[in-house]
Amino acid sequence: MRNRDIILVLDFGSQYTQLIARRIRESKVFSRIVPYNISIEEIKKINPKGLIFSGGPMSVYDKGAPLPKKEIFKLKVPILGICYGAQLITHMLGGKVKKTDEREYGRAELFIDAPKDIFFNLPSNLTCWMSHGDEIKKVPDGFKAIAHTLSTPVAGFSERRKKIYAVQFHPEVVHTQRGNQILANFLFQICGCLPRWTMDKLVKQQIKEIKEIVKDKQVVMGLSGGVDSSVAAVLINQAIGKRLHCIFVDNGVLRKNEVTSVQRTFKNHFKMNLQVIDAQKRFLTRLKNVTDPEQKRKIIGDEFIKVFQEVAKRKKKVEFLGQGTLYPDVIESSSPLGGPSVMIKSHHNVGGLPKRMKLKLIEPFRELFKDEVRQIGKYLGVPENIVKRQPFPGPGLAIRIVGEVTKERLEIIREADERVLEEIRKAGLYDEIWQSFAVLLPIKSVGVMGDKRTYENAIAVRCVNSVDGMTADWVTLPPDLLAKIANRIINEVPGVNRVVYDISSKPPATIEWE
């Protein structure tokens, strides 16, 4: 993805760092999250049009507080500091930051004192979102305050000559009015970016790069039938055609009728090279007695790679492994490029990769979010039933079974999950909900069925809405729909006598239970 304007978002540990990157891309400018301590040489190599310092949980005067290289201010690249980012600019350039008497969190009325530059074409006051326990007491020499709230005298400041701007509030969250325009003003008014991060240009560039990298070699592609791997397979297929070998691994933790559906779509519709590998026994053997979620994910990722490498050995000139890895997969599996954000969970196609893997990776979506991949799928003509398909985790039903994975427990969750999806579709809600599924809990409870006492499994139903999977809110389903789902699961799935509904948002919970 060369020849484009790029904005680097330096990660200081904020829960909103990924959201900043998303907002920039919504303005058709490419963004990338990098660690706060990225080297000056690396920044020069990337040659960004602007830098954004994210918020963060620490105070600039804390021991070990994350700070960028001081030389960053000599690069003559426009800078925007947000929350902690504003405080570190103050701290590093000679201003004063002190703890407030009372932490300011939530909505506040922002008064704009200089309606230009990042506040160009904005009203004199608007609602903003604050989240800080420190405040800027004195701006650095040469800087001027450009906004305030009733309790925060310096809610924004700038040095126009150096193109350094800072805001104490969070323009990236929906609670800040006209926040997208504030970011757009930085991108276009200050950095001089052009809105050319479009799907058609991205697809053409990706196809060109895949051709250049692969040359005359072969690629094996792990196809799951989900949105990410499906769209990636179609994209790679457009680049190299029959030199792509799609491999669908029946690992025993798939949804009902998944194998038949994948064969029908890719072998018949797309005419791709598709090989189905029955590996149920080897996966379930390795998962036996395993209850730790991270261990499950790593086992499944490791076994996937082993299967791919075995298949690759039997083919000539195979040097690459294609994957539908997304940016959130990379972010959640490890601290982004060495930044301060903690690992949330590993993903089978990131955290499960062996250190000495023989195949080189082709991951065209490694820097993209889910909704961007859906846009590419639509552009490439991928059928709507795939493009709009709800996300399904790489480790499959193994992480929707809390506890040990067995054939018996898989059968229970498979049938329960099928009924959840059937009822969601019947209600016309499938395309409106980001993800809807069932989870088999590691507990049994007492029930009564046919005048007899039962002691059987409990199923949790989870439905959430999201844009990119980084944050999610639980969906308020109609009571009659919940009743239908519960009744069908209890009456039709042997071994279940209780159904509960998960009303947790992300954060603090994750979308999947494991």
Side-chain angles (χ1 to χ4, degrees):
M1 287 183 264
R2 309 185 192 101
N3 302 320
R4 65 192 173 187
D5 292 340
I6 182 170
I7 298 293
L8 295 185
V9 181
L10 274 67
D11 179 17
F12 291 90
S14 170
Q15 60 178 319
Y16 300 131
T17 299
Q18 293 81 28
L19 191 54
I20 298 171
R22 285 285 306 119
R23 294 289 181 252
I24 295 167
R25 294 186 185 192
E26 287 170 4
S27 293
K28 293 184 172 61
V29 176
F30 184 72
S31 60
R32 179 185 293 163
I33 298 171
V34 296
Y36 71 90
N37 55 356
I38 182 174
S39 69
I40 300 301
E41 291 72 24
E42 183 64 18
I43 294 175
K44 289 179 179 178
K45 182 179 177 182
I46 296 171
N47 191 29
K49 296 296 286 286
L51 305 173
I52 295 182
F53 297 166
S54 81
M58 298 185 74
S59 296
V60 291
Y61 43 74
D62 286 344
K63 183 178 180 180
L67 299 173
K69 310 292 183 185
K70 194 161 187 180
E71 294 80 5
I72 202 167
F73 296 105
K74 297 179 181 180
L75 290 174
K76 296 182 180 179
V77 176
I79 294 173
L80 171 62
I82 295 175
C83 198
Y84 175 87
Q87 294 165 11
L88 76 83
I89 291 173
T90 305
H91 177 71
M92 295 183 72
L93 296 182
K96 289 184 179 180
V97 179
K98 290 187 177 180
K99 187 174 290 294
T100 59
D101 295 330
E102 188 175 335
R103 177 185 170 97
E104 187 175 27
Y105 183 83
R107 290 179 175 85
E109 187 172 12
L110 181 75
F111 297 92
I112 294 174
D113 303 313
K116 54 189 174 184
D117 299 334
I118 61 170
F119 293 142
F120 173 73
N121 202 27
L122 290 174
S124 59
N125 63 301
L126 48 82
T127 299
C128 69
W129 184 263
M130 290 285 193
S131 178
H132 64 101
D134 298 323
E135 66 176 339
I136 296 159
K137 288 291 186 182
K138 178 181 177 298
V139 299
D141 291 342
F143 285 76
K144 292 183 178 180
I146 56 176
H148 70 278
T149 70
L150 294 178
S151 58
T152 304
V154 182
F157 63 91
S158 70
E159 216 287 22
R160 298 187 72 201
R161 186 172 54 86
K162 295 181 179 179
K163 294 188 176 181
I164 298 177
Y165 297 82
V167 292
Q168 182 60 73
F169 59 93
H170 289 272
E172 70 274 21
V173 303
V174 295
H175 311 295
T176 295
Q177 292 178 333
R178 311 284 285 274
N180 282 352
Q181 187 173 339
I182 293 172
L183 292 174
N185 283 340
F186 177 70
L187 300 176
F188 306 124
Q189 300 279 341
I190 310 301
C191 300
C193 294
L194 294 175
R196 52 191 175 190
W197 171 246
T198 59
M199 290 305 107
D200 57 336
K201 291 182 179 178
L202 170 62
V203 168
K204 290 174 183 175
Q205 185 65 42
Q206 287 282 21
I207 289 174
K208 180 182 176 184
E209 290 187 13
I210 291 170
K211 286 180 177 178
E212 291 174 353
I213 293 170
V214 176
K215 295 184 173 63
D216 64 339
K217 301 298 189 296
Q218 309 280 318
V219 177
V220 288
M221 175 83 198
L223 191 60
S224 70
V227 177
D228 311 329
S229 66
S230 296
V231 177
V234 173
L235 178 67
I236 296 172
N237 186 63
Q238 285 206 6
I240 63 173
K242 293 299 181 182
R243 285 182 289 120
L244 170 66
H245 303 273
C246 292
I247 303 185
F248 182 76
V249 180
D250 184 359
N251 54 18
V253 293
L254 300 174
R255 286 169 289 196
K256 194 174 182 179
N257 301 321
E258 189 77 352
V259 176
T260 304
S261 174
V262 168
Q263 285 180 314
R264 183 172 59 247
T265 301
F266 294 93
K267 204 166 189 176
N268 300 339
H269 180 78
F270 287 114
K271 309 298 181 184
M272 289 185 183
N273 287 330
L274 175 64
Q275 183 177 357
V276 177
I277 307 293
D278 185 352
Q280 295 184 56
K281 187 175 181 180
R282 60 191 286 181
F283 274 85
L284 295 183
T285 298
R286 286 197 63 183
L287 289 169
K288 189 176 181 179
N289 298 322
V290 176
T291 58
D292 179 74
E294 276 302 294
Q295 199 176 350
K296 285 183 190 177
R297 289 175 175 272
K298 285 182 166 57
I299 285 172
I300 291 170
D302 180 65
E303 200 62 30
F304 261 116
I305 299 302
K306 285 181 178 178
V307 172
F308 293 143
Q309 289 183 330
E310 289 169 10
V311 174
K313 283 181 182 178
R314 298 194 291 268
K315 298 182 183 295
K316 295 179 180 179
K317 292 188 176 181
V318 171
E319 293 186 7
F320 298 92
L321 168 63
Q323 291 199 130
T325 309
L326 299 187
Y327 205 14
D329 297 340
V330 178
I331 294 168
E332 289 196 343
S333 292
S334 61
S335 175
L337 306 179
S341 299
V342 298
M343 186 186 88
I344 299 169
K345 59 188 177 185
S346 65
H347 291 256
H348 82 285
N349 52 349
V350 181
L353 296 178
K355 293 180 180 178
R356 295 185 178 181
M357 190 180 69
K358 297 177 182 178
L359 299 173
K360 302 168 191 172
L361 290 176
I362 297 291
E363 297 175 307
F365 304 148
R366 191 178 176 86
E367 293 184 321
L368 302 183
F369 291 91
K370 175 77 73 174
D371 60 315
E372 293 172 320
V373 173
R374 291 190 198 276
Q375 292 175 44
I376 290 177
K378 189 175 180 181
Y379 176 79
L380 291 172
V382 177
E384 197 171 82
N385 67 309
I386 294 177
V387 172
K388 290 187 176 181
R389 192 176 194 186
Q390 292 184 1
F392 185 67
L397 298 177
I399 58 167
R400 290 182 178 172
I401 294 175
V402 181
E404 186 181 0
V405 178
T406 65
K407 280 189 175 182
E408 294 74 22
R409 302 191 81 204
L410 279 165
E411 189 60 27
I412 291 172
I413 190 60
R414 195 172 282 125
E415 294 297 329
D417 194 66
E418 178 73 6
R419 282 151 181 79
V420 171
L421 292 175
E422 282 180 357
E423 291 303 323
I424 291 295
R425 285 192 176 95
K426 285 180 184 177
L429 297 175
Y430 185 84
D431 292 340
E432 296 179 20
I433 296 175
W434 170 268
Q435 213 163 337
S436 45
F437 56 93
V439 179
L440 179 58
L441 304 183
I443 57 172
K444 289 188 175 183
S445 66
V446 175
V448 178
M449 299 178 75
D451 295 327
K452 292 183 180 179
R453 178 187 184 275
T454 61
Y455 189 62
E456 294 181 332
N457 296 283
I459 289 285
V461 175
R462 182 133 170 85
C463 296
V464 298
N465 272 333
S466 179
V467 173
D468 49 37
M470 299 307 301
T471 61
D473 292 319
W474 61 278
V475 176
T476 305
L477 292 182
D480 60 335
L481 177 56
L482 282 171
K484 286 180 183 178
I485 292 172
N487 287 338
R488 285 200 63 192
I489 292 174
I490 292 171
N491 292 327
E492 300 174 18
V493 181
V496 178
N497 69 356
R498 191 176 298 272
V499 174
V500 298
Y501 190 58
D502 183 351
I503 58 170
S504 310
S505 294
K506 176 185 180 179
T510 53
I511 293 177
E512 299 290 346
W513 277 50
E514 290 196 338

